[in-house]
Amino acid sequence: TCQATLGTQGGRSATVTVDRAITDAGWLDPLQDEVLIRTGVRGVGDIPLFVGGVDALDDDETGRVEATLISRADELKRAAFEVPYPSTRGMATTEQMRRIIQSVQSSWVVAADVVADPPVPTGIWEDDPGQALDDLAVGINALWSPDRLGGFAIITNPYTLAVEPEPVAILRDGQHGVLVQVRHLRSREQGHNSVTVIVERTDGLAPIRVTARDTDPVSPTYWAGSFGKQNETVKTQSPLTRAAATLVAQRRLAQSLALARSWFITMPPGIGQVLDPGDL
């Protein structure tokens, strides 16, 4: 099984189930082995789905062994900084993210495709490389995740784009279509009518704290209205000024003032496997 999710620390996960004779022969060693999962897609050929190490082996009395695999993102998050990691002031944000990723393993490929890539301010992270990447990504409205080839991708959050990009695929239902099942979910859980951005300072001064609220009285998510109050707090070191922090808060608020609408689409093998998280 393979799963891929979209999120700041989202990533990929996979499991492989084999006969115990495979592991008895020395394969799928959690200390050193790496696994590549590929699938055949008609008209396309073999495409990779997952690259990562073996994390754990779970065998039962039937002789079946389930190997849980570890993604590049999980591997990176476990490689805590041995000493505090300082930012390189003035470096492009995606380049700083690339350096953090490759500080764990220099051979990891990092592909960045973002709309804005401003320089990073002075900052320092204690021990968590995943949190460092989150902080940097928030400042440029980006998402980072491991890709299907064993590298990393940094993309602009598609919900913040001013112009809708061309879709990577068009799926049709009905006769000769590829959709097997479609479900539509609407939820207020992820909606926020207030966003507070806290910029942690490294110079000893008090943190910058700004809040953006839905103050439109006719809005269905008005802060003092029937929707109630749902605030999101975002902590980061990236925005250097109050104005920059305010802009981040306003952008986050703009994409949160609605019910979360989710579509669950089921497709036959070979169609969904060519899509990646973040694809439109």
Side-chain angles (χ1 to χ4, degrees), residues 39-60:
T39 186
V41 177
R42 180 178 299 173
V44 178
D46 283 352
I47 62 171
L49 295 179
F50 182 91
V51 176
V54 180
D55 197 30
L57 298 177
D58 184 7
D59 61 273
D60 59 25

Side-chain angles (χ1 to χ4, degrees), residues 2-3 29-30 114 119 141 172 174 181 184 192 201 213 216 226 231 235 237 241-242 258 262 272:
C2 294
Q3 291 185 326
D29 182 354
V114 296
N141 288 318
R172 295 181 173 87
Q181 184 183 30
H184 184 201
H192 300 95
R201 302 291 293 267
R213 290 178 179 172
D216 184 356
S226 58
N231 182 61
K235 293 184 178 180
Q237 295 184 20
T241 65
R242 179 172 295 275
S262 303

Side-chain angles (χ1 to χ4, degrees), residues 56-216:
L57 298 177
D58 184 7
D59 61 273
D60 59 25
E61 75 283 355
T62 68
R64 294 165 61 87
V65 180
E66 182 180 89
T68 302
L69 309 182
I70 180 173
S71 73
R72 293 289 194 241
D74 290 329
E75 190 175 343
L76 178 139
K77 288 187 289 183
R78 294 184 188 181
F81 297 133
E82 294 176 326
V83 296
Y85 189 102
S87 67
T88 303
R89 183 180 175 86
M91 176 178 290
T93 301
T94 57
E95 180 59 27
Q96 181 72 86
M97 296 176 72
R98 185 193 315 275
R99 291 197 180 190
I100 291 174
I101 292 171
Q102 293 181 342
S103 71
V104 178
Q105 176 55 258
S106 60
S107 63
W108 287 347
V109 176
V110 181
D113 183 12
V114 296
V115 173
D117 196 5
V120 298
T122 301
I124 190 168
W125 296 276
E126 288 294 327
D127 54 14
D128 187 351
Q131 185 61 52
L133 294 176
D134 280 357
D135 289 344
L136 291 165
V138 165
I140 61 172
N141 288 318
L143 301 171
W144 66 275
S145 63
D147 62 25
R148 62 176 67 215
L149 295 171
F152 286 83
I154 303 171
I155 64 170
T156 296
N157 187 328
Y159 297 106
T160 67
L161 296 176
V163 178
E164 182 177 310
E166 289 295 321
V168 300
I170 297 177
L171 308 176
R172 295 181 173 87
D173 61 0
Q175 188 174 10
H176 305 303
V178 298
L179 300 185
V180 175
Q181 184 183 30
V182 177
R183 293 186 295 118
H184 184 201
L185 173 67
R186 284 158 290 180
S187 169
R188 61 170 282 164
E189 180 180 359
Q190 299 300 319
H192 300 95
N193 54 2
S194 174
V195 175
T196 297
V197 173
I198 302 174
V199 182
E200 302 288 352
R201 302 291 293 267
T202 59
D203 53 10
L205 298 178
I208 297 175
R209 190 182 189 101
V210 298
T211 297
R213 290 178 179 172
D214 183 1
T215 57
D216 184 356

